[in-house]
Amino acid sequence: MPATPARIVVLVSGAGTNLQALLDAAADPAYGAEVVAVGADRDGIEALERARRAEVPTFVHRLRDFATRPEWDAALAGSVASYRPDVVVLAGFMKLVGPDYLAALGQRTVNTHPALSPAFPGMHGPRDALEYGVKVTGATLFVVDRGVDTGPIVAQAAVPVADDDTEETLHERIKVAERAMLVEAVGRMAREGYRVEGRRVRFGD
Ligand code: GRF
């Protein structure tokens, strides 16, 4: 167990239930990590309220407030880096980070996706899995790279698809498994360290 808790920055765009799961876990010192800041690409979202209730600093960078996407990306990277994170968690963050961000923080940034990679990348994982007719789907935590949901996999959780599932019921059930997976894997990253070897992510120094 490290003497000081790992510093976690979380980026969000929506409801923030994954963020809340991390905040709740981090309230226990034995978890080994603390959420030191929450960033967003938009205002007025419940995720930012969750951060404020937990008295965690927040920042917002809206794409539309920047002349170009690279400028937005550099501002995002700068804000995240200013909190000196050990791990950055994209938890329902609905933007692709760009080259500046990846160069500065890519190796320490993980993203959670509501499907079992490499199946169903992109914005509509639950809907695409349902339409394809798979019997099992789930959630994937991966280290970000230049692709869409393509990076080396840290953890996965499987979720059975029910005959009467809708996109909403399936996504809600995935999110229950996703939150548990996220809390477990980020805690291990914080307490044990991790390394990326090609496509493999291994816990431990
Ligand atoms: C999660 O299922 C995430 O994987 C997806 O959007 C959802 C965000 O949920 N990209 P929340 O904002 O953490 O509640």
Side-chain angles (χ1 to χ4, degrees):
M1 171 84 67
T4 52
R7 300 172 61 82
I8 311 283
V9 171
V10 184
L11 299 184
V12 293
S13 299
T17 63
N18 282 287
L19 165 65
Q20 189 68 56
L22 288 170
L23 290 168
D24 293 347
D28 179 354
Y31 186 63
E34 66 175 321
V35 179
V36 294
V38 171
D41 66 329
R42 62 196 74 185
D43 286 312
I45 53 175
E46 178 61 16
L48 288 172
E49 293 306 317
R50 293 178 191 274
R52 288 174 190 136
R53 284 198 291 273
E55 299 181 351
V56 172
T58 62
F59 59 89
V60 176
H61 292 309
R62 301 187 309 173
L63 187 52
R64 73 170 104 129
D65 293 336
F66 293 83
T68 65
R69 192 163 183 122
E71 287 171 67
W72 170 82
D73 187 54
L76 179 72
S79 290
V80 172
S82 74
Y83 288 98
R84 295 177 290 108
D86 298 300
V87 179
V88 185
V89 180
L90 310 188
F93 186 62
M94 303 305 276
K95 291 277 188 305
L96 285 180
V97 295
D100 273 12
Y101 183 97
L102 287 169
L105 295 152
Q107 287 287 95
R108 63 184 62 197
T109 300
V110 292
N111 190 4
T112 177
H113 175 60
L116 284 180
S117 297
F120 314 121
M123 302 277 280
H124 303 290
R127 185 178 80 191
D128 294 344
L130 202 56
E131 284 180 359
Y132 196 90
V134 294
K135 301 296 188 192
V136 178
T137 184
T140 301
L141 186 71
F142 60 95
V143 179
V144 294
D145 65 6
R146 277 178 303 176
V148 177
D149 302 326
T150 52
I153 293 170
V154 180
Q156 292 188 298
V159 174
V161 179
D163 285 346
D164 59 354
D165 262 332
T166 63
E167 181 183 350
E168 289 72 30
T169 61
L170 179 59
H171 195 180
E172 278 310 310
R173 220 163 53 258
I174 290 171
K175 284 179 72 170
V176 174
E178 185 179 30
R179 290 190 287 267
M181 172 196 72
L182 182 68
V183 165
E184 212 236 318
V186 170
R188 289 194 66 187
M189 292 170 79
R191 292 186 302 273
E192 300 173 28
Y194 67 99
R195 59 191 191 279
V196 181
E197 295 171 355
R199 292 276 330 157
R200 300 291 193 90
V201 181
R202 298 185 199 281
F203 293 112
D205 289 325

